[in-house]
Short mmCIF file of all heavy atoms in Angstrom, two decimals:
data_model
loop_
_atom_site.label_atom_id
_atom_site.label_comp_id
_atom_site.label_asym_id
_atom_site.label_seq_id
_atom_site.Cartn_x
_atom_site.Cartn_y
_atom_site.Cartn_z
N LEU A 4 155.87 96.11 86.02
CA LEU A 4 156.74 95.28 86.89
C LEU A 4 156.72 93.85 86.45
O LEU A 4 157.68 93.17 86.43
CB LEU A 4 156.28 95.47 88.35
CG LEU A 4 157.07 94.71 89.44
CD1 LEU A 4 158.48 95.16 89.38
CD2 LEU A 4 156.43 94.88 90.75
N ILE A 15 167.54 84.91 82.12
CA ILE A 15 168.20 83.86 82.92
C ILE A 15 168.02 82.49 82.32
O ILE A 15 169.00 81.63 82.26
CB ILE A 15 167.67 83.82 84.40
CG1 ILE A 15 168.13 85.16 85.10
CG2 ILE A 15 168.14 82.72 85.15
CD1 ILE A 15 167.45 85.36 86.43
N ALA A 25 177.65 74.30 76.51
CA ALA A 25 179.16 74.44 76.34
C ALA A 25 179.76 73.03 76.28
O ALA A 25 179.29 72.05 76.90
CB ALA A 25 179.68 75.23 77.57
N PHE A 38 164.92 58.89 97.21
CA PHE A 38 164.71 58.06 98.35
C PHE A 38 165.68 56.86 98.46
O PHE A 38 165.33 55.82 98.93
CB PHE A 38 163.25 57.50 98.41
CG PHE A 38 162.22 58.52 98.29
CD1 PHE A 38 161.34 58.62 97.15
CD2 PHE A 38 162.01 59.43 99.35
CE1 PHE A 38 160.39 59.66 97.05
CE2 PHE A 38 160.99 60.41 99.23
CZ PHE A 38 160.22 60.47 98.15
N THR A 49 168.83 68.81 80.18
CA THR A 49 167.54 68.19 80.60
C THR A 49 167.22 68.61 82.07
O THR A 49 166.08 68.87 82.38
CB THR A 49 167.68 66.66 80.54
OG1 THR A 49 168.10 66.30 79.26
CG2 THR A 49 166.35 65.93 80.82
N GLU A 108 95.31 101.49 114.22
CA GLU A 108 94.89 101.52 115.61
C GLU A 108 94.44 102.99 115.93
O GLU A 108 93.46 103.17 116.60
CB GLU A 108 96.04 101.14 116.55
CG GLU A 108 96.39 99.65 116.55
CD GLU A 108 97.61 99.30 117.33
OE1 GLU A 108 98.19 100.23 117.93
OE2 GLU A 108 97.90 98.12 117.37
N GLN A 114 87.63 106.44 115.56
CA GLN A 114 86.24 106.04 115.27
C GLN A 114 85.55 105.71 116.60
O GLN A 114 84.36 106.12 116.77
CB GLN A 114 86.24 104.84 114.35
CG GLN A 114 84.89 104.42 113.96
CD GLN A 114 84.91 103.23 113.01
OE1 GLN A 114 86.00 102.61 112.87
NE2 GLN A 114 83.87 102.96 112.36
N THR A 139 54.09 109.29 120.83
CA THR A 139 53.97 109.68 119.37
C THR A 139 52.64 109.16 118.81
O THR A 139 52.23 108.08 119.18
CB THR A 139 55.10 108.98 118.63
OG1 THR A 139 56.33 109.34 119.26
CG2 THR A 139 55.17 109.42 117.19
N VAL A 150 47.41 114.07 100.96
CA VAL A 150 48.48 114.12 101.94
C VAL A 150 48.95 115.54 101.98
O VAL A 150 49.26 116.19 101.05
CB VAL A 150 49.65 113.21 101.48
CG1 VAL A 150 50.80 113.38 102.43
CG2 VAL A 150 49.15 111.80 101.39
N PRO A 156 53.00 110.28 105.72
CA PRO A 156 53.46 109.09 106.40
C PRO A 156 55.01 109.13 106.59
O PRO A 156 55.71 109.80 105.83
CB PRO A 156 53.07 107.93 105.44
CG PRO A 156 52.84 108.55 104.13
CD PRO A 156 52.44 110.00 104.39
N ASP A 173 62.96 116.12 102.90
CA ASP A 173 62.29 117.18 103.67
C ASP A 173 63.13 117.59 104.86
O ASP A 173 62.85 117.21 105.96
CB ASP A 173 60.88 116.75 104.11
CG ASP A 173 60.05 117.90 104.54
OD1 ASP A 173 60.45 119.02 104.36
OD2 ASP A 173 58.92 117.57 105.11
N ARG A 176 61.58 120.12 107.98
CA ARG A 176 60.65 119.73 109.03
C ARG A 176 61.31 118.66 109.91
O ARG A 176 61.72 117.64 109.45
CB ARG A 176 59.39 119.20 108.38
CG ARG A 176 58.22 118.90 109.31
CD ARG A 176 57.02 118.52 108.59
NE ARG A 176 57.17 117.26 107.80
CZ ARG A 176 56.91 116.03 108.32
NH1 ARG A 176 56.55 115.88 109.50
NH2 ARG A 176 57.07 115.02 107.53
#
Side-chain angles (χ1 to χ4, degrees):
L4 182 61
I15 291 173
F38 306 112
T49 308
E108 289 174 0
Q114 185 179 12
T139 306
V150 176
D173 191 11
R176 186 173 64 87

